[in-house]
Amino acid sequence: MAHTTSLRTEIAKSLIASPGRPVPQAGPLQLPQTPGFSTPEFSFGWVTTGGAIVIQSTKYAVVVLQEPTLDQGKVKWSCVVHPVEAKPNLCGSDYQNELLQNKQSALKKFQALDLNRSSSG
């Protein structure tokens, strides 16, 4: 998702500056060169008037949707990928991030219990 970072920044600025108005980036997707990355191949790319970024790759049979939400002057991005197994780590949602944090918290608690058992035995 590094390839869309600068575009998402520009879209976010547009949404904050003119809430409820179409973003000027709307139309065929044009990804800028990202230093250190090769330009990704995609079959179809589009930016909606609301700022959502749609990318389809027939080569990899994947569709990616990155969608902005403006809330109290801040833009949050959600990401949907089909098939879900193709979802990159950087393309998380708040819900998925919360699940990951809960999993990590549970793992730490388990490790602490395991250490307590080892030291008491």
Side-chain angles (χ1 to χ4, degrees), residues 112-121:
L113 285 173
D114 196 38
L115 286 174
N116 288 340
R117 285 185 191 160
S118 298
S119 62
S120 64

Side-chain angles (χ1 to χ4, degrees), residues 73-102:
K74 293 183 181 181
V75 175
K76 292 183 180 181
W77 288 87
S78 64
C79 186
V80 177
V81 177
H82 181 78
V84 71
E85 296 82 17
K87 189 167 193 160
N89 291 336
L90 295 176
C91 185
S93 66
D94 289 341
Y95 173 72
Q96 288 175 323
N97 292 341
E98 184 179 328
L99 287 178
L100 180 60
Q101 288 172 352
N102 289 344

Side-chain angles (χ1 to χ4, degrees), residues 12 15-17 19-20 68-76:
L15 291 170
I16 292 167
T69 305
L70 181 61
D71 184 26
Q72 299 178 352
K74 293 183 181 181
V75 175
K76 292 183 180 181

Side-chain angles (χ1 to χ4, degrees), residues 1 4 18 20 55 77 105 114:
M1 305 288 79
T4 60
S18 303
I55 303 171
W77 288 87
S105 176
D114 196 38

Side-chain angles (χ1 to χ4, degrees), residues 24-39:
Q25 298 83 2
L29 179 64
Q30 297 176 9
L31 292 178
Q33 280 294 119
T34 304
F37 294 94
S38 61
T39 303

